[in-house]
């Protein structure tokens, strides 16, 4: 973890970390997979990149793409109302999106068609099941299935610190690309419920402090036993560390103090009060399989047109739960269809650990 490239990466991360508390989760990040539609796909009978019929007259034909370029950083801050406000496609808030390539193909011709699109035409991919609820699966654009194939891949980024005592060690990272999203320290992420102490309908959020790669039982590697890479260790695990939050008020749950933490906007909305699970300084360890993705703002969900139980803003359970079922189903789809995954039956055998984001997306061979 030495050298000039890592130093530049770390300095960029430090600047990014300062923006997380004020940057909305609704803003796509570089390398993320998103749903989008463009002028070619509104009310069209073809998908624009093939001859598959789309019986979607009068509807948007949603496709899956990768965010390649962000808007001009010198432009004013992106406001959440940009999600539903008409915006020119050459405007200051446009993102460059490229159609996702076929992971299991030796060619990547699909990704050669880039376009600049405003937020009105972009949605987080984690909500694909809700957004495509009224579209039969056999009429989905092929790019949707290509995106589902990479939902069980991840890659680590921004190594921060090495800790340990022989023969155990941990590397703290500031960033992880997990499925369709990129999560960095400071984000609030949704946790799928499994704690027996909490009801299944109780929202569970992790305020991420670090992503930790842990080695147990390290040893020198053959043949000369002068290097330690971690390949011969007893166990390897990757978890997120942070503070667990819920909206369930209990005597043992301290209220979240927004003056003590730099919090993402989704946790600062006035509709819900969040509480620490346990003491305020308690850090919890959560495996990747329990992480469903970032917590999105209630206003963003409303502007996305996602279903809500009532006429008012989404409940806390909806904030934490929308999209979770689709993410878990997408990971199962990837486990069956991503040929890079060695199906071992256990949880570790259901993931593809990429060296970097390009490899996770299958673009490292372009």
């Amino acid at each position: 973890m030495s050298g000039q490239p890592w130093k530049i990466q770390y300095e960029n991360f430090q600047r990014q970390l300062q923006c997380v508390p004020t940057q909305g989760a609704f803003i796509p990040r570089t390398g993320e997979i998103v749903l989008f539609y463009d002028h070619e796909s509104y009310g069209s009978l073809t998908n624009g990149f093939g001859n598959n019929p789309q019986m979607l007259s009068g509807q948007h034909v949603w496709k899956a793409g990768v965010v390649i370029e962000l808007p001009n950083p010198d432009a004013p801050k992106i406001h959440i109302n940009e999600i539903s406000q008409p915006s020119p496609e050459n405007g200051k808030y446009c993102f460059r999106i490229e159609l996702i390539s076929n992971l299991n193909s030796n060619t990547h011709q699909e990704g050669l068609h880039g376009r600049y699109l405003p937020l009105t035409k972009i949605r987080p991919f984690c909500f694909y099941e809700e957004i495509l609820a009224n579209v039969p699966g056999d009429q989905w654009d092929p790019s949707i299935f290509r995106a589902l194939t990479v939902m069980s891949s991840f890659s680590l980024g921004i190594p921060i610190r090495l800790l340990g005592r022989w023969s155990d060690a941990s590397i703290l990272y500031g960033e992880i690309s997990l499925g369709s999203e990129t999560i960095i320290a400071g984000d609030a992420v949704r946790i799928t419920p499994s704690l027996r102490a909490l009801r299944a309908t109780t929202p569970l959020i992790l305020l991420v402090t670090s992503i930790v790669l842990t080695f147990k039982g390290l040893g020198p590697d053959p043949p000369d036993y002068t290097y330690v890479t971690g390949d011969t260790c007893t166990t390897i695990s990757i978890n997120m560390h942070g503070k667990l939050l819920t909206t369930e008020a209990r005597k043992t749950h301290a209220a979240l103090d927004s003056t003590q933490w730099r919090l993402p906007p989704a946790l600062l909305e006035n509709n819900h009060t969040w509480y620490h699970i346990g003491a305020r300084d308690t850090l919890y360890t959560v495996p990747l399989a329990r992480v469903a993705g970032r917590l999105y703002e209630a206003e963003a969900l409303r502007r996305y047109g996602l279903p809500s139980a009532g006429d008012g803003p989404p409940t806390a359970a909806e904030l934490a739960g929308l999209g979770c079922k689709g993410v878990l189903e997408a990971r199962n789809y990837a486990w069956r269809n991503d040929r890079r995954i060695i199906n071992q039956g256990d949880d570790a055998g259901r993931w593809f650990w990429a060296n970097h984001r390009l490899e996770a997306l299958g673009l490292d061979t372009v």
Side-chain angles (χ1 to χ4, degrees), residues 29-33 66-69 177 179-182 357 361:
R29 298 172 180 174
T30 305
E32 290 193 326
I33 300 173
V66 180
V67 180
I68 301 300
E69 183 181 339
S177 293
S180 62
E181 295 186 357
T182 295
R357 183 58 170 169
L361 296 172

Side-chain angles (χ1 to χ4, degrees), residues 9 80 101 106 264 280 291 300:
Q9 189 181 38
I80 201 167
S101 298
N106 293 326
R280 286 191 174 95
V291 179

Side-chain angles (χ1 to χ4, degrees), residues 282-317:
T282 301
L283 293 179
Y284 289 86
T285 299
V286 177
L288 296 187
R290 295 275 313 278
V291 179
R294 291 199 298 274
L295 175 70
Y296 288 86
E297 298 83 359
E299 180 63 15
L301 299 187
R302 187 185 70 82
R303 291 178 181 268
Y304 291 152
L306 296 181
S308 177
D311 297 331
T315 64

Side-chain angles (χ1 to χ4, degrees), residues 97-111:
I97 310 294
E98 289 190 0
L99 201 69
I100 191 168
S101 298
N102 186 348
L103 182 67
N104 295 325
S105 171
N106 293 326
T107 62
H108 302 281
Q109 298 298 316
E110 304 91 345

Side-chain angles (χ1 to χ4, degrees), residues 128-140:
Y128 76 93
E129 192 172 70
E130 288 81 5
I131 292 173
L132 298 173
N134 296 322
V135 182
D138 60 356
Q139 295 179 16
W140 287 7

Side-chain angles (χ1 to χ4, degrees), residues 8 21 23 59 99 107 126 165 212 266 276 280 314 318 321 362 365:
I8 294 173
Q23 177 176 287
Q59 296 185 30
L99 201 69
T107 62
C126 64
R165 176 179 297 177
V212 183
H276 291 272
R280 286 191 174 95
E318 288 171 334
T365 58

